[in-house]
Amino acid sequence: MPALLAQIEASETLPQRVLTNITLQKIFRSLVTILIAYGSIFVIQSLTSWSSERVPRRFRLLIKQSLPFLKGLILILTFSYLLNLFLNLSQENLLALTGTIAIALGFAFKDYVSSIIAGVVALFEAPYRVGDRIQIENHYGEVVGYGLRGIRLQTPDDNIVTIPHNKTWTEAVSNANSGELEAQVLTDFYFAHTVDAEQVIQILYQAAYSSKYTQLKLPIVVIMQEQMWGTQFKLRSYPMDARDEFIYKTDLIRRAKQAFARQNLPYPKLSDIQNNDSCP
């Protein structure tokens, strides 16, 4: 008899050994579990978005950055519960199932799985977090969402761009603030070679120090660079909140141009720039 039972057990296929009895009660419990998980993620997303705008500014990013971890925790708990509900995960079955799934995923969903793994790695390495201003390939913007497959960027044109996590395997990630509230803003100005450099530098400092967006605790620097057609001035400064980057840059340019106009400072001539571009 034991030999017969062993023979019957050995003749069972992997699905027969792994799957448990599927009943209506289990299906109902799984649907309820998925609904609870979906509702929990929705509530957490809404709660973090709501609370992050109502706390002191220095805590805003901290609250938003907790969202991916909370979503990941809910997904792991839900997935584990569903596996335990429908599968008989003994040590032998788990090893056999892991190999089968790995082969299937390797052919059918390798890019998707690669993105999910990269997303998990990114949670711990943190090359980008919610609230960071990053550039991947030609896409620049603020990270406003962190999903299972990719991140969502809000561009300066208010478009939402979804980038798979696995881009971090092959592409460079440029992060402007890396979890901090402030990010440096670079504003360029151009003048003719005959301009009074000291006067321009003083105006740029005054524009930065007088802007209501400037973070005065961080350094403000003006640097110069000579070009064939004129002189380039670079104003490096920080807004108090990185998401005000473009409003801040506009405010700096507006203030500086008003002062430049009062002093009648000479701008480079278009003919000089075109001649320089045509030179071999």
Side-chain angles (χ1 to χ4, degrees):
M1 183 62 72
L4 178 60
L5 291 176
Q7 187 176 2
I8 292 174
E9 186 177 354
S11 64
E12 288 183 330
T13 61
L14 179 61
Q16 290 173 327
R17 284 190 288 124
V18 172
L19 290 175
T20 60
N21 291 329
I22 298 177
T23 62
L24 286 177
Q25 184 182 10
K26 287 185 177 179
I27 294 175
F28 178 75
R29 287 166 61 185
S30 66
L31 291 176
V32 171
T33 302
I34 292 172
L35 286 176
I36 291 175
Y38 182 81
S40 300
I41 290 175
F42 178 79
V43 169
I44 288 174
Q45 281 182 327
S46 302
L47 191 60
T48 51
S49 298
W50 179 83
S51 59
S52 63
E53 300 299 330
R54 286 164 177 77
V55 297
R57 183 179 297 170
R58 63 182 181 277
F59 298 125
R60 179 171 60 83
L61 292 183
L62 187 63
I63 291 177
K64 285 191 172 183
Q65 288 162 5
S66 66
L67 181 59
F69 290 96
L70 295 175
K71 288 173 65 177
L73 181 62
I74 291 174
L75 290 174
I76 289 173
L77 292 176
T78 303
F79 190 65
S80 301
Y81 178 77
L82 293 177
L83 284 180
N84 188 56
L85 194 62
F86 291 107
L87 301 180
N88 178 22
L89 295 177
S90 64
Q91 185 175 0
E92 295 78 10
N93 290 343
L94 187 61
L95 288 174
L97 191 64
T98 302
T100 303
I101 291 177
I103 294 173
L105 294 181
F107 287 104
F109 302 106
K110 63 177 182 181
D111 292 336
Y112 192 83
V113 174
S114 174
S115 264
I116 293 175
I117 295 173
V120 174
V121 174
L123 274 178
F124 296 96
E125 289 191 350
Y128 43 73
R129 287 166 283 193
V130 176
D132 284 358
R133 306 186 73 80
I134 67 170
Q135 179 162 0
I136 299 178
E137 293 184 314
N138 296 323
H139 304 293
Y140 175 76
E142 178 183 349
V143 180
V144 294
Y146 196 106
L148 194 62
R149 188 183 68 86
I151 56 171
R152 293 191 299 137
L153 286 187
Q154 184 174 26
T155 69
D157 296 329
D158 205 27
N159 295 325
I160 299 296
V161 179
T162 301
I163 302 177
H165 291 301
N166 62 1
K167 284 291 181 184
T168 57
W169 297 140
T170 56
E171 302 293 337
V173 180
S174 175
N175 195 324
N177 54 325
S178 192
E180 300 295 331
L181 198 58
E182 304 89 359
Q184 188 184 78
V185 170
L186 173 62
T187 313
D188 290 312
F189 298 90
Y190 305 95
F191 291 94
H193 287 299
T194 56
V195 74
D196 185 340
E198 288 301 323
Q199 194 174 22
V200 173
I201 291 173
Q202 289 303 318
I203 290 174
L204 293 180
Y205 275 119
Q206 289 173 8
Y209 279 115
S210 61
S211 174
K212 66 177 182 181
Y213 299 103
T214 302
Q215 175 53 274
L216 298 176
K217 295 179 181 178
L218 296 173
I220 298 172
V221 178
V222 178
I223 60 175
M224 295 173 55
Q225 187 171 351
E226 283 296 283
Q227 306 288 347
M228 291 291 291
W229 40 264
T231 303
Q232 180 179 6
F233 294 81
K234 296 183 178 182
L235 173 59
R236 299 181 183 273
S237 54
Y238 295 82
M240 289 185 286
D241 195 326
R243 64 181 177 180
D244 293 332
E245 173 186 355
F246 297 104
I247 297 176
Y248 176 54
K249 195 168 186 175
T250 301
D251 188 55
L252 291 176
I253 294 174
R254 179 179 61 82
R255 290 171 181 276
K257 283 183 72 70
Q258 289 174 348
F260 296 151
R262 287 194 295 270
Q263 302 299 326
N264 196 25
L265 297 178
Y267 289 99
K269 296 179 181 178
L270 183 59
S271 58
D272 294 338
I273 298 175
Q274 291 173 336
N275 291 336
N276 179 67
D277 291 340
S278 62
C279 290

